[in-house]
Amino acid sequence: MEAVLTHLRGAIERGEYPIGAKLPPEAELCRVLEVSRPVLREALRALQTMGLTVSRTGSGTFVVADAVQDPTFGDYAAGDLMEVRRHIEIPIAGYAARRRTPENLDRLERLLDRMERETDTTAWVAMDTLFHLSVAEAAQNPVFRRVIEEIRDALARQSAFLNELGDRRERSDREHRAILESLTAGSESGAVDAMTHHLDRVGTTLTDIVRSAPPHDRSQAV
């Protein structure tokens, strides 16, 4: 999928598919790129998340930009989502370290154990969002939980995007484990630092993906 995405992104950014152009039909792209339709569709979804294309039902996929600016996850742009996450989830971690109950810790421990063993990416992404929701619950403030619930779909989309293109899963597991260790220790400063580090790494990966311009010597355009 990454190879297909890189190829199509490069073709768009080089102007081989200019703004307003329609990409070739899926069947043709699958044949020329020698990939299955599910792989192609994952790449097409990533292009749309990056803001390079838009899919119009019954019409096809059209180019709407020639450079990645700010990926969109559901209803929210990545920049807006990350800004809110920093202002909400970092203090949530601090409150959770002070207020968490044994039940909160047990739930988070069991969840992380499952995440570290999980082999299905879709299931892991669902548990990733549940981890952040569970930390909010541990802060014992229903407003925090409601805020995370509101952005939960966007978090899932962001998580899937980062795992597909940024190889974030194992690093996320380690960062989540560090957050839980601080919560277990009741260390407010440690939890704040661990969540800050986690969100910093998420932001860095997003930036790297956006700035990653495909090489110009790729195979010829479709």
Side-chain angles (χ1 to χ4, degrees):
M1 191 282 286
E2 291 181 34
V4 174
L5 174 61
T6 299
H7 177 89
L8 293 175
R9 177 180 175 179
I12 290 171
E13 293 185 336
R14 291 191 298 270
E16 293 164 17
Y17 296 124
I19 294 175
K22 178 181 176 181
L23 294 186
E26 288 186 5
E28 181 181 343
L29 288 171
C30 287
R31 177 180 57 80
V32 175
L33 297 173
E34 299 181 344
V35 295
S36 66
R37 187 156 293 194
V39 169
L40 175 67
R41 286 179 174 171
E42 283 186 30
L44 292 177
R45 282 194 294 270
L47 284 177
Q48 187 162 330
T49 297
M50 290 177 167
L52 294 173
T53 64
V54 63
S55 178
R56 297 171 185 159
T57 304
S59 299
T61 300
F62 294 82
V63 177
V64 294
D66 57 9
V68 179
Q69 298 297 328
D70 195 9
T72 300
F73 302 111
D75 295 331
Y76 305 111
D80 293 339
L81 183 64
M82 288 305 302
E83 183 176 43
V84 168
R85 292 190 70 183
R86 291 181 185 281
H87 284 283
I88 296 296
E89 291 196 78
I90 291 173
I92 280 177
Y95 285 120
R98 288 162 45 192
R99 301 171 179 171
R100 83 288 185 276
T101 66
E103 291 76 18
N104 294 140
L105 295 176
D106 181 63
R107 183 180 189 188
L108 284 164
E109 182 67 44
R110 286 185 286 108
L111 182 59
L112 277 188
D113 286 345
R114 288 175 58 198
M115 291 176 73
E116 290 165 352
R117 296 192 305 268
E118 184 57 62
T119 58
D120 181 77
T121 300
T122 301
W124 187 91
V125 165
M127 288 187 281
D128 183 22
T129 61
L130 184 57
F131 174 84
H132 288 273
L133 183 62
S134 298
V135 173
E137 289 176 342
Q140 312 302 330
N141 184 325
V143 180
F144 285 146
R145 187 184 192 283
R146 179 64 64 88
V147 172
I148 301 303
E149 280 280 15
E150 168 62 28
I151 64 173
R152 190 173 181 179
D153 177 67
L155 292 179
R157 291 171 185 262
Q158 182 186 71
S159 179
F161 182 78
L162 292 175
N163 279 298
E164 289 173 355
L165 304 180
D167 193 25
R168 274 283 308 164
R169 180 170 165 172
E170 290 186 6
R171 285 174 287 170
S172 286
D173 282 340
R174 291 195 296 269
E175 291 156 17
H176 288 159
R177 181 62 65 181
I179 292 169
L180 178 55
E181 288 173 354
S182 292
L183 298 185
T184 301
S187 173
E188 182 176 357
S189 62
V192 166
D193 288 346
M195 184 64 80
T196 299
H197 175 73
H198 177 52
L199 296 181
D200 282 347
R201 298 286 72 76
V202 168
T204 297
T205 304
L206 276 169
T207 299
D208 289 345
I209 291 171
V210 170
R211 289 179 178 173
S212 179
H216 288 274
D217 59 354
R218 287 280 176 185
S219 59
Q220 63 182 8
V222 178

